[in-house]
Amino acid sequence: MFVGKAWKYGRDVNTDDIISAKYLVSWDAFELGKNCMEALDPDFIKNVREGDMVVAEENFGCGSSREHAPLALKGAGVSCVIAKSFARIFYRNAINIGLPVLESPEAVEGISTGDELNVDPETGEIKNITTGKTFHASPYPEFMQRLMNAGGLIEYVKTRVRS
Amino acid sequence: MGMTISEKILAKHAGKDIVKPGDLLEVDVDIVLSNDITAPIAISEFRKIGIDHVFDKDKVVMVADHYVPGKDVKSAEQAKFMHEFAREYGIKHYYDVGRGGIEHALLPEEGLVKPGDLIIGADSHTCTYGGLGAFSTGMGSTDIAAAMAMGCIWMKVPPSMKFIFEGTLNRWVSGKDLILFTIGQIGVDGALYKAMEFAGSVIEAMSVDQRLTIANMAIEAGGKNGIMKANKQVLDYVGSRTGTEGIVYESDEDAKYEREFSFDVSDMEPQVAFPHLPSNIRPVSQARDIVIDQVVIGSCTNGRLEDLRTAAEVLKGRNTAENVRLIVIPATQEVYRKAMDEGLFDIFLDANAAISTPTCGPCLGGHMGVMAAGERAVATTNRNFVGRMGHPKSEVYLANPAVAAASAVLGRIGSPDELD
């Protein structure tokens, strides 16, 4: 269960917004996290606390294939991202590096910056403590769920190549 | 039920006769690509798997192109990390500085892509190879690590959207304008998770370089891939590079599309994408009051020989405006040499252009043309997000090479028709 505050953004938050290309000289999540969301919201990194959630409208993570983007969010302490929809490559990358991504247009509508949230990544239940409303994210595609249960893609591949 | 080109290629690589949108497949890959930015993560993840070989040394391709020649110590270390892995694992197609260029211009040149192939790469513009009739898509580094080990990857069959272009293109209108126009029509998530299939007489007659430009920017509409049936120019090109023609797939008459668009493009003007989204499109005639500081002609989108020839045609006998820096970046060593041999460099140098070695450099705000606050560029690149080419308060306007060259001369955004 994740407990934290929501930081809400608009639509088409791109991977350059999440981590500018000038920082792609490291792939350490903590290092990348120091400059997360810099161009979009210079105060984000000062305000965000371990466990907080990023909430956004449609097409979160569009643009580049850089896995540095979900790594930067994770490194900044973000526990999960809730959006109306996700760009394809970002969604796969987030799952692969272990950053839960929850799709729920209703939840996004019902959350404002600063709201206290409780999120259960297993069931997809999103509770807005501030407003008292509860939402349910769409379940992960079945195969993704299997990958996550296996401990992620690399663990899954390990068993595959050994068998 | 008939199938689309994309569905046929995916079916073939999954060992199935029929697939439909939504099917989850495990597909064999023909090429697994990464670059100096994305390979380091892929390599770190690959090493965790604990095997001493990649699935096929001839099918794993690594290209140093983003931050090379080394822009600083950290980027040099990333390139070195990739270089050392390539040597240790005997990667045949490893391309360092001076031996390659920008990955998506390089792979077709090197004969690594054929119609009907399935290619994945840790770079979002891997969708470029759809211009040759291949299914290609970008993924993250961890997926690439998995494919480097197994030679296959999981993929969902995307629904297809069809874009038909008919008519005759005006002078100075090119593949870049068709794709910018399309993104303007459907938005930056208009093709989210979908296959974008391009067809019609304009596409059938189009040059290889322009077809690659169109497929290259499918990701800018959120597409999983961009694709078109290989035409004669593609078969001649691929034949001369690989000695074979690959497998030419075409969509069945009764193939199913989620949406179909038909455009008569005879009256189309060159298109310009205003900051800060590639979908923020206006015709060039409505962009004339924008004064600029820099022009970049290059990238995986528009750094090929035809692009440089077009720019040179516009720049011949002309000079860039005093307020403009013009940076020309041939996409590969081969493009560089051919442009030089054809005398294009003389035209660029006479116009006061700076000619760079092949690199992605300024396209992603890396180096070789990063902008200061308040500066504006016209670029033949693919993204104009906030801060994409430097300071968050700088601006990028996307255009075709002819408009970029004309804008360099005019000192503001404009068309070659405005030059006397």
Side-chain angles (χ1 to χ4, degrees):
Chain A
M1 178 71 83
F2 301 132
V3 181
K5 256 189 193 168
W7 300 99
K8 192 168 172 182
Y9 299 97
R11 57 169 298 141
D12 306 320
V13 172
N14 65 68
T15 51
D16 283 82
D17 291 330
I18 300 167
I19 184 75
S20 169
K22 60 176 176 276
Y23 300 116
L24 304 184
V25 289
S26 167
W27 64 96
D28 177 76
F30 183 72
E31 271 306 306
L32 293 165
K34 290 179 187 167
N35 300 294
C36 189
M37 303 293 240
E38 184 185 82
L40 188 65
D41 177 2
D43 293 330
F44 174 76
I45 206 64
K46 283 181 242 161
N47 295 331
V48 71
R49 295 285 171 269
E50 189 74 33
D52 282 359
M53 297 81 177
V54 165
V55 179
E57 306 271 337
E58 294 88 351
N59 203 25
F60 185 87
C62 63
S64 136
S65 69
R66 63 187 70 154
E67 211 160 283
H68 311 68
L71 282 172
L73 287 163
K74 212 175 173 186
V78 172
S79 62
C80 64
V81 183
I82 303 164
K84 288 189 179 173
S85 65
F86 290 90
R88 184 187 66 83
I89 307 176
F90 179 89
Y91 188 85
R92 266 181 101 122
N93 286 347
I95 300 289
N96 284 343
I97 67 127
L99 175 74
V101 278
L102 295 99
E103 204 172 83
S104 172
E106 299 76 25
V108 174
E109 286 295 321
I111 298 172
S112 309
T113 286
D115 285 358
E116 295 282 343
L117 307 181
N118 284 3
V119 177
D120 183 342
E122 304 274 314
T123 63
E125 190 179 84
I126 302 162
K127 269 191 202 159
N128 187 334
I129 304 300
T130 307
T131 64
K133 288 194 181 132
T134 299
F135 308 94
H136 293 275
S138 333
Y140 289 111
E142 195 195 324
F143 179 73
M144 285 215 148
Q145 191 63 60
R146 247 190 292 155
L147 274 187
M148 287 189 281
N149 293 344
L153 179 63
I154 293 300
E155 290 303 317
Y156 173 80
V157 173
K158 271 188 197 171
T159 31
R160 277 282 299 271
V161 296
R162 277 177 200 151
S163 61
Chain B
M1 178 59 74
M3 290 197 289
T4 65
I5 309 180
S6 296
E7 288 155 10
K8 287 181 183 184
I9 297 176
L10 290 174
K12 164 86 176 169
H13 286 79
K16 292 179 184 289
D17 292 329
I18 296 173
V19 299
K20 59 179 190 314
D23 287 357
L24 186 80
L25 305 177
E26 190 167 280
V27 289
D28 290 331
V29 292
D30 295 304
I31 292 289
V32 182
L33 171 69
S34 56
N35 60 50
D36 54 308
I37 300 283
T38 58
I41 301 184
I43 291 166
S44 304
E45 293 303 308
F46 176 86
R47 287 194 192 276
K48 287 181 193 164
I49 298 167
I51 50 173
D52 62 358
H53 60 279
V54 296
F55 83 103
D56 188 333
K57 290 176 195 174
D58 292 343
K59 293 184 174 178
V60 174
V61 180
M62 293 184 164
V63 185
D65 61 359
H66 276 61
Y67 285 172
V68 298
K71 87 174 174 81
D72 51 29
V73 173
K74 282 183 170 176
S75 20
E77 280 169 356
Q78 294 197 136
K80 181 174 174 236
F81 192 80
M82 179 170 82
H83 182 193
E84 286 175 347
F85 177 87
R87 210 162 32 192
E88 183 184 341
Y89 283 78
I91 303 300
K92 191 173 159 205
H93 300 292
Y94 162 74
Y95 298 94
D96 207 336
V97 173
R99 293 181 157 82
I102 300 176
E103 52 196 312
H104 308 308
L106 182 68
L107 266 60
E109 262 182 12
E110 289 289 312
L112 295 172
V113 184
K114 303 184 300 298
D117 281 355
L118 196 154
I119 292 163
I120 61 168
D123 187 276
S124 62
H125 293 108
T126 303
C127 52
T128 306
Y129 314 116
L132 301 181
F135 186 101
S136 59
T137 188
M139 289 188 184
S141 298
T142 301
D143 276 314
I144 292 307
M148 280 164 55
M150 300 195 299
C152 59
I153 194 74
W154 73 270
M155 216 184 267
K156 235 182 185 177
V157 179
S160 287
M161 292 171 84
K162 193 173 191 178
F163 301 88
I164 301 165
F165 299 100
E166 300 290 352
T168 313
L169 293 181
N170 284 325
R171 189 164 158 76
W172 312 124
V173 175
S174 65
K176 180 64 165 287
D177 304 293
L178 299 189
I179 189 64
L180 286 177
F181 175 81
T182 304
I183 298 163
Q185 292 290 308
I186 65 174
V188 291
D189 64 350
L192 196 60
Y193 290 79
K194 310 222 164 72
M196 297 176 78
E197 185 175 322
F198 303 95
S201 57
V202 176
I203 301 293
E204 280 158 30
M206 190 169 269
S207 69
V208 171
D209 285 2
Q210 291 192 45
R211 290 165 63 98
L212 292 168
T213 300
I214 291 181
N216 172 273
M217 288 189 71
I219 181 67
E220 271 31 276
K224 183 167 192 157
N225 68 315
I227 200 161
M228 51 196 92
K229 183 192 166 192
N231 64 1
K232 184 177 180 305
Q233 289 93 317
V234 167
L235 296 181
D236 289 347
Y237 178 89
V238 172
S240 72
R241 304 272 163 171
T242 68
T244 65
E245 289 188 344
I247 304 172
V248 178
Y249 290 95
E250 63 184 307
S251 295
D252 294 326
E253 289 279 323
D254 59 345
K256 205 174 159 210
Y257 295 94
E258 202 173 86
R259 282 182 84 183
E260 282 191 53
F261 296 81
S262 196
F263 302 115
D264 185 327
V265 292
S266 299
D267 294 329
M268 185 183 281
E269 279 186 58
Q271 308 285 304
V272 178
F274 276 48
H276 289 285
L277 282 178
S279 56
N280 198 5
I281 300 295
R282 292 187 210 173
V284 68
S285 60
Q286 292 174 31
R288 283 184 181 144
D289 54 348
I290 308 288
V291 177
I292 56 169
D293 306 282
Q294 176 165 301
V295 169
V296 175
I297 299 174
S299 84
C300 62
T301 308
N302 277 129
R304 298 181 184 80
L305 191 58
E306 187 181 331
D307 302 315
L308 300 194
R309 281 179 183 153
T310 303
E313 199 183 331
V314 174
L315 290 167
K316 191 166 186 178
R318 298 191 168 102
N319 200 347
T320 51
E322 292 233 337
N323 57 308
V324 175
R325 304 179 294 269
L326 170 59
I327 301 166
V328 179
I329 311 176
T332 65
Q333 292 292 112
E334 183 182 314
V335 171
Y336 194 101
R337 183 185 293 274
K338 284 188 172 165
M340 188 172 68
D341 289 349
E342 288 184 11
L344 308 187
F345 280 12
D346 292 322
I347 296 170
F348 296 144
L349 291 169
D350 287 346
N352 286 330
I355 304 170
S356 160
T357 189
T359 180
C360 305
C363 173
L364 73 162
H367 61 158
M368 301 299 289
V370 172
M371 289 193 289
E375 290 193 318
R376 289 194 186 121
V378 172
T380 66
T381 56
N382 43 59
R383 289 187 181 133
N384 54 355
F385 300 150
V386 173
R388 176 73 180 179
M389 201 176 275
H391 196 280
K393 289 203 166 70
S394 62
E395 293 180 348
V396 178
Y397 295 75
L398 305 174
N400 74 28
V403 167
S407 303
V409 175
L410 293 163
R412 58 168 175 85
I413 296 178
S415 146
D417 292 331
E418 296 176 61
L419 303 170
D420 43 48

